[in-house]
Structure formats: structure tokens, C-alpha cells
Amino acid sequence: MRRIPAARVLGGLLVALLLAQGTGAMPGWRRAHAAPPQTPPPTPVPPFGSPSPFVSRLATPSPGAEPPTISAPSAVLADLDTGQVLFEQGGRIRRPIASLTKIMTALLVLERARLSDQVVVSERAASPDGDLGQSELGLEPGERVRVGDLLYALLLQSANDAALALAEHVAGSVERFVRLMNARARRLGMRGTEFRSPSGLDDRGTSTALDLVRLTRAAYRDPRFARIVAERVHEIPSADGGVRRIQNRNVLLWLYPGAIGVKTGYTRAAGYCVVAAAERDGLRLVAVVLGASGEAFSDAAALLDHGFFAYDRRVLVRAGEPLGWAELVGGRVPVAAGATLEALVPTAPGSGPTSSVRIDPGAAFPPARGERVGAVVFRLPGMTL
């Protein structure tokens, strides 16, 4: 287990461009008083829900400067907005991810279909042949359902029949949709990921905790995704004219102050998995927990607690900030930062960043005003550059 310094976000370096000139830390924000947790409704049960562990309280230690002990073999804590990794444990281990797969399914659907589109449910999508598992919406062959409603079923209830119906609607077949999933993963740089189905139920597909951070950040760029995964309960019309009432399986939406999403997963091979996001005072964090032997919510909450307690967002350097003089081959020139650079840094005394100037050896002298001549490099304790 190890804590990853904040500078990880830029490939191991926090770097600001250094520009030739012609001739502060931001104080940490005040923590908001969190609302008391609420009790989630009872656990959904088969045939329209699987027995995911819907805990009524979280077992979390008091947050501190040191990261918590995580029981799951793979876990990551990161800044949802920048991708900066604050904690990593087995983050590159490839594992089956069960229904966390559906985050990619949702991303592709949002990119390639309209929420108002009508999906005609096929025999395959509605087939009770055993490949839907215990989590399904109960779709009927020939039923017409809005894409938006199927996305709620996909992300809240983790409905496997909704995953198949959406895949066929977007790509014409499940197999073609899976190819789209893997192509999108490659574009996102998810090098440890291979999808084999739109639901993840078969456990043949694998990913890593770090790759799932990339995927979740991409999905959150669409406000519709953020809106769906933050909803606790949603109603969907049924084929007989009634209403299907579906419940979000992410109990952190009830139990963790500031929780905003995103997705749970479980199969016997994958173990208990969760991608959890929360926001407090403008800081959005995401925790990924894979392969827990019991419920994964407490590990995720402990990581989020640590991030909110132990880190503050600070401005390390501001655009145009004078940085003294730099020695180039041929003479000295005054320099300034070429851009503002922000990062999450530890709040513990003595753990803040240090900086140094790195000059480009090929920088011409005399440089033009505003020309790049090097970089300002920020380091944190425990970081190897």
C-alpha cells in the first residue's frame, strides 16, 4: 500500500512552462458541515435485483493525514476533475469488474444516441436464457423504451437486459457494440482494459482501478451521466402500462455526505466492486475499490474521507508570476510562469511541494518575450523523478 503524491497527475511531474519576461499558495477551503447520513431502503432482491450488500452504516476509521488500511486488493483515490492520483493500491492489476463495465456502456450510449430515442426490445435482450443474471428490468420482446429510461435502469439497478437492449440499439448487435467499447477504451488510454460484454456479467472482460478512474472522468464530462448516477430512485413505464420503480444500489448516496455517484458491481469472480464519487466545497474525488471480499462501500468511504481531510487544492504558481532570473547559454534573462498550475497537496506540516527551475538546454539566447525557455518542476515528499 502506498500513497501517491499529488504530482502524479502529469506523469510524475507537476510542471509549469517557464517563459522569458521583458524586463502563492491558495489557502485551504473551509470544510462544510456534512449533513447526517440517512438509512437506505431495503436491499433489492431477485428476480429484479441481486443481493448486493446494502449496508445501513459504514465502517470507516477517523480520517487522518495517513491513508486508511484498505482490505480490497485494488483501490485508487483520485481527483475527479484532474485525474491526480492521491492513493494507489494494486491500481494496475487487471481484474474482472462485473457491472462497473456499464460505465463504458453508458458513455457510448450518451455519445451515440439521444435520450428520447425509442428502443425496440429484441428477443435476445429480453431472453430469460440465463445470460441476464439476477439483475434485470424485466423487458418484454417488442416493448418500446426510451434510451433515457434504459440508462437509468442500467446505472441505478444495473439491469443486464437494459445493457443488451442499448448495445443493440447503438451498434446493431452486441458484438459490434463490444468492439466500440474497446476502441473507446484505447482512445482513453485504458491500456489494462478489455471489454467482452456490455454488462460485465460474464466476467471475461477485465480492467484496472486506474483505468476506471480514466473512464469515470470521461463519463462525468457529460452532465447527463452525472445527473443519472446521482439519482436514488427512478420510475420507468412498464409494458403493461404500470410503473417500474428502480432503486440505486450505491448506498453511499444515502450514507455518505456529499456522495454524487457512481456505480456498483458484483460477481463471484470480481468480488464486490464500487466506483464512488463525492463532492465537498467544490472538490470532487473518486474512489475505485475492486475485489473486496465483503461490501466495498466502507473502503471507498474511508478513501474519500482521507482525501477530503488530508488534501487541499492550492495554486502552485500563477500565470505571469515572476520567477527571477534564468541562466541560458549566452546570458541571464528574467522569467515568469507561462500558466497557472493548481494541484491537491497534503495539508500536513512539512509535506508541501518544493519547486525548482529546469532550463531547456536548447533555449536560444536572447529569447523573444514570451518564448518558452524551460519549466518549473514541483516535487512532493516520497516522489522519485
Side-chain angles (χ1 to χ4, degrees), residues 314-331:
R314 297 183 189 173
V315 176
L316 303 181
V317 66
R318 296 185 183 277
E321 181 179 333
L323 295 171
W325 293 76
E327 294 287 346
L328 305 184
V329 176

Side-chain angles (χ1 to χ4, degrees), residues 104 177-188 195:
M104 175 59 87
F177 188 82
V178 171
R179 290 196 289 271
L180 292 177
M181 295 172 75
N182 286 307
R184 190 69 176 92
R186 288 192 295 272
R187 292 199 302 274
L188 287 172
F195 293 109

Side-chain angles (χ1 to χ4, degrees), residues 94-363:
R94 296 184 66 150
R95 299 185 53 88
I97 58 170
S99 287
L100 302 187
T101 298
K102 294 182 174 91
I103 300 175
M104 175 59 87
T105 300
L107 174 62
L108 281 176
V109 171
L110 287 167
E111 290 176 341
R112 292 171 174 265
R114 295 185 298 270
L115 298 185
S116 59
D117 286 349
Q118 293 288 325
V119 176
V120 179
V121 179
S122 71
E123 290 280 352
R124 179 178 182 181
S127 173
D129 61 2
D131 65 349
L132 298 181
Q134 294 179 320
S135 180
E136 58 180 286
L137 186 59
L139 295 174
E140 299 288 342
E143 180 180 353
R144 301 177 68 88
V145 190
R146 290 176 62 254
V147 164
D149 286 330
L150 288 175
L151 281 171
Y152 275 99
L154 179 84
L155 293 171
L156 274 62
Q157 187 172 303
S158 202
N160 295 312
D161 50 358
L164 295 180
L166 287 167
E168 291 177 339
H169 176 74
V170 167
S173 74
V174 170
E175 293 72 23
R176 284 195 290 270
F177 188 82
V178 171
R179 290 196 289 271
L180 292 177
M181 295 172 75
N182 286 307
R184 190 69 176 92
R186 288 192 295 272
R187 292 199 302 274
L188 287 172
M190 298 171 63
R191 296 183 177 87
T193 298
E194 181 184 8
F195 293 109
R196 301 293 294 273
S197 76
S199 67
L201 180 65
D202 58 2
D203 277 330
R204 292 182 300 153
T206 57
S207 188
T208 71
L210 285 169
D211 277 2
L212 288 170
V213 169
R214 287 179 179 264
L215 174 59
T216 303
R217 293 185 61 231
Y220 262 96
R221 294 187 188 109
D222 191 320
R224 297 171 298 175
F225 177 88
R227 184 170 63 249
I228 292 171
V229 296
E231 192 160 337
R232 297 176 179 178
V233 176
H234 187 76
E235 292 185 346
I236 298 173
S238 65
D240 61 7
V243 173
R244 301 177 176 106
R245 190 173 188 270
I246 60 172
Q247 176 184 319
N248 201 319
R249 296 185 176 185
N250 181 9
V251 297
L252 295 176
L253 294 174
W254 286 268
L255 299 179
Y256 192 81
I260 57 175
V262 285
K263 188 71 186 74
T264 65
Y266 170 79
T267 61
R268 183 172 298 179
Y272 294 100
C273 307
V274 67
V275 176
E279 179 176 4
R280 294 182 186 175
D281 295 338
L283 173 60
R284 301 196 306 172
L285 299 178
V286 58
V288 180
V289 177
L290 303 180
S293 58
E295 58 91 4
F297 300 115
S298 292
D299 275 350
L303 285 173
L304 293 169
D305 277 348
H306 169 66
F308 288 124
F309 179 89
Y311 289 87
D312 269 331
R313 191 181 303 282
R314 297 183 189 173
V315 176
L316 303 181
V317 66
R318 296 185 183 277
E321 181 179 333
L323 295 171
W325 293 76
E327 294 287 346
L328 305 184
V329 176
R332 299 170 71 236
V333 294
V335 292
T340 297
L341 182 64
E342 296 185 11
L344 296 181
V345 299
T347 57
S351 58
T354 59
S355 65
S356 61
V357 171
R358 185 178 64 195
I359 300 300
D360 290 343

